[in-house]
Amino acid sequence: MAKYIAEPFKIKMVELIKMTTREERIEKLKAANYNMFALKSDDIYIDLMTDSGTGAMSDAQWAGMMMGDESYAGARGFSKVHNAVEDIFGYKFAQPVHQGRAAEKVLFPSLLKKGQISISNMHFDTTRGHVDLLGAIPVDIVVPEARDTKSYAPFKGNMDTKRMEAYIKKVGAENVALIIMTITNNTAGGQPVSIENMRETRKIADKYGIKVIIDAARYAENAFFIKQREKGYANKSIIEITREMFGYADAFTMSAKKDAIVNMGGLIGVKDDEELFQQVQCLTIPYEGFITYGGLAGRDLEALAIGLYEGTSVDFLRYRIGQVEYLGGLLKEKEVSFQYPVGGHAVFLDAKVILPHIPYHQFPGQALACELYIEAGIRSCDIGSFMMGVDPKTGEQMEAEMEFTRLAIPRRVYTQAHLDIVAEALENVTCNADKVKGYEIIWQPPVLRHFTSKLKPIE
Ligand SMILES: *Cc1c(COP(=O)(O)O)cnc(C)c1O
């Protein structure tokens, strides 16, 4: 039996959610042209589209909001964020920004020039986008275990360091400007990266004179996995592990909408390179606003400084990752296929296995998301060929390596009973899987089509 780890909090404010009928959901989905992003959240019962900015802030964070100092320059909240970054990550410099992609936009021009290569365990899509925008080349070198959805490996998010070094030698170290370690590895399904792998990556980077940065959205979940799974770390605190991990990098970018449990916010951290930090400050002012607020209100800075710590609580992380593992456990009992082991923030359903009769060009991941909405009002999203889009050169539909439907769990929002409903709904969907239809696109924009495309079922 899957075990649920009880919430390390109690509830003192609630948001009502609407129950809809199956007939209503069929109509709503049709009106949304079968695109999850076009559904109104009022028509959703359990929203597992993303864990980004969807968490519930604590009473301490809300109290912090009331204490926010809205001064244009030198606001108290900035000092609190700066002190938290120094304490948790061991970095000398911190620059708040409005979200993770803004951190990329501000930091990357100082590190990457046109034609240079950025190596990552896996670039997150906005990270890849900012590398592309600078005319640089993003290259993913994740370990091969990441592609194996069936067998256990403790750190499927790791960089394949042997292949990385061979690649650096092949293209010439002078052409590689940056190594980006994404922790946890979101694109690989929220899979963690080990300290040992980080250390090895740093060693190789030093050998060839390459900078290392961390894409730090899930710094605390990653540290919790290290505490649980890596030899020698069981008795270390999340902050001790985080400091060691970040000690191997030169800088980080962070979407604070994940582990820092705020609804909007981001950060750049620079370990000790004052010149780099000055460049960051120079670009922050035109892009994000003055350096002591960086695109955020004073109250947001307060909530962020508090959330950075709350995210590192072991009791919270045990429950948080426990929720994802619980849902995985239920699905295993019901023989619903998903990527194993589950990541820190989401369960990735294996739509290729669940809907074997739907070919990639009819979007099994999207078909499963539609069916799950009709079945129980649950919103998920496609991470497969529908998201992948068409080849920019040939205009042909590309085939994704995996066809996933992602169930991302917001932090401190849903209860055990909600997860039970998700598992039951999926059991029902898989029982009638052969009746699920594929989809075709009837309208799409030229880029990032999954947000706005219109689809229809293939009769
Ligand atoms: C969410 C995320 C980002 C982008 O952050 P936003 O706050 O959405 O702009 C970058 N990298 C990773 C790994 C993320 O999960």
Side-chain angles (χ1 to χ4, degrees):
M1 276 290 281
K3 186 166 159 46
Y4 189 86
I5 294 165
E7 283 75 8
F9 52 82
K10 54 186 179 174
I11 296 165
K12 71 170 146 195
M13 188 192 286
V14 297
E15 177 180 347
L16 302 186
I17 47 181
K18 201 167 89 180
M19 316 286 272
T20 49
T21 65
R22 189 180 185 91
E23 288 65 39
E24 283 168 342
R25 291 193 292 271
I26 288 170
E27 281 311 305
K28 305 275 184 201
L29 190 61
K30 190 172 168 204
N33 292 295
Y34 303 93
N35 186 321
M36 294 295 133
F37 292 91
L39 286 168
K40 292 196 174 67
S41 71
D42 279 347
D43 298 324
I44 289 156
Y45 181 42
I46 300 173
D47 200 347
L48 306 184
M49 171 170 257
T50 178
D51 67 322
S52 179
T54 53
M57 292 209 299
S58 66
D59 52 356
Q61 285 178 294
W62 281 107
M65 299 278 282
M66 290 295 159
M67 301 294 287
D69 170 6
E70 303 301 343
S71 304
Y72 190 94
R76 275 191 304 276
F78 174 79
S79 304
K80 289 186 186 169
V81 169
H82 169 87
N83 293 345
V85 167
E86 205 165 36
D87 182 33
I88 297 171
F89 303 96
Y91 279 25
K92 238 168 124 174
F93 304 111
Q95 177 58 63
V97 290
H98 84 276
Q99 65 182 101
R101 66 199 69 186
E104 294 159 357
K105 183 180 170 188
V106 169
L107 178 66
F108 286 8
S110 303
L111 300 176
L112 267 178
K113 301 279 169 286
K114 194 167 177 208
Q116 290 184 318
I117 295 165
S118 160
I119 295 176
S120 178
N121 51 345
M122 285 181 103
H123 292 83
F124 180 69
D125 50 14
T126 61
T127 318
R128 173 175 291 270
H130 280 288
V131 171
D132 282 337
L133 281 168
L134 290 166
I137 304 151
V139 175
D140 292 344
I141 311 188
V142 73
V143 288
E145 302 92 277
R147 317 262 182 222
D148 175 359
T149 65
K150 289 282 160 281
S151 41
Y152 180 85
F155 293 103
K156 285 188 177 183
N158 278 353
M159 181 82 79
D160 189 335
T161 48
K162 284 211 177 64
R163 239 179 352 119
M164 179 179 86
E165 184 165 12
Y167 180 79
I168 294 169
K169 280 189 190 149
K170 193 182 88 184
V171 298
E174 67 282 5
N175 296 311
V176 181
L178 200 57
I179 296 172
I180 303 175
M181 197 63 119
T182 310
I183 67 167
T184 56
N185 188 330
N186 188 350
T187 312
Q191 298 291 327
V193 173
S194 69
I195 290 258
E196 188 193 4
N197 189 250
M198 189 68 198
R199 206 182 287 133
E200 183 63 22
T201 300
R202 176 82 245 181
K203 223 160 87 190
I204 297 168
D206 282 344
K207 189 165 154 191
Y208 296 95
I210 303 167
K211 279 207 156 49
V212 178
I213 74 162
I214 293 179
D215 184 350
R218 297 179 181 81
Y219 63 100
E221 289 172 10
N222 199 80
F224 185 76
F225 280 121
I226 287 169
K227 188 176 168 68
Q228 276 188 319
R229 296 178 184 177
E230 192 160 354
K231 204 168 156 246
Y233 289 89
N235 296 321
K236 292 211 192 304
S237 74
I238 296 299
I239 292 184
E240 283 172 322
I241 296 169
T242 303
R243 266 193 221 134
E244 181 176 350
M245 191 80 179
F246 281 70
Y248 298 120
D250 300 295
F252 70 77
T253 55
M254 181 194 292
S255 169
K257 300 167 72 172
K258 323 291 174 38
D259 279 2
I261 330 181
V262 289
N263 302 117
M264 191 55 70
L267 263 179
I268 297 168
V270 175
K271 188 160 68 182
D272 50 20
D273 183 341
E274 191 161 2
E275 200 184 316
L276 175 61
F277 187 62
Q278 281 165 352
Q279 290 168 14
V280 164
Q281 289 182 311
C282 283
L283 282 186
T284 297
I285 295 172
Y287 285 155
E288 291 288 288
F290 188 62
I291 50 179
T292 59
Y293 70 86
L296 295 171
R299 51 184 171 274
D300 296 333
L301 292 169
E302 293 282 338
L304 171 56
I306 297 164
L308 281 166
Y309 283 102
E310 285 188 2
T312 66
S313 150
V314 170
D315 289 339
F316 163 67
L317 288 163
R318 190 179 292 118
Y319 142 81
R320 152 94 185 133
I321 292 173
Q323 269 200 328
V324 184
E325 285 170 351
Y326 174 75
L327 180 56
L330 291 180
L331 295 177
K332 199 163 183 200
E333 284 165 21
K334 296 178 190 301
E335 294 177 29
V336 178
S337 295
F338 61 91
Q339 190 191 37
Y340 177 79
V342 293
H345 68 289
V347 174
F348 286 65
L349 300 168
D350 195 338
K352 219 186 251 188
V353 174
I354 297 170
L355 303 173
H357 60 290
I358 301 182
Y360 73 92
H361 52 85
Q362 294 181 10
F363 314 128
Q366 181 65 15
L368 183 56
C370 287
E371 208 54 33
L372 191 55
Y373 176 71
I374 292 170
E375 176 68 28
I378 297 159
R379 177 155 74 170
S380 54
C381 76
D382 170 275
I383 307 275
S385 294
F386 173 54
M387 190 172 102
M388 186 112 184
V390 296
D391 187 314
K393 291 194 192 83
T394 64
E396 295 273 314
Q397 172 63 48
M398 294 190 284
E399 179 173 6
E401 207 166 332
M402 329 271 202
E403 301 292 348
F404 287 133
T405 304
R406 187 181 74 177
L407 307 170
I409 314 292
R411 292 167 184 76
R412 310 191 287 208
V413 170
Y414 292 114
T415 63
Q416 179 175 17
H418 288 119
L419 299 182
D420 290 342
I421 287 169
V422 174
E424 280 161 31
L426 275 162
E427 184 178 32
N428 292 343
V429 168
T430 47
C431 284
N432 299 302
D434 54 329
K435 295 190 197 74
V436 176
K437 297 187 182 93
Y439 285 79
E440 64 180 312
I441 294 176
I442 53 174
W443 179 84
Q444 59 182 308
V447 285
L448 291 174
R449 69 168 181 199
H450 56 289
F451 292 116
T452 53
S453 295
K454 298 177 181 181
L455 302 101
K456 79 174 171 59
I458 296 168
E459 294 305 328

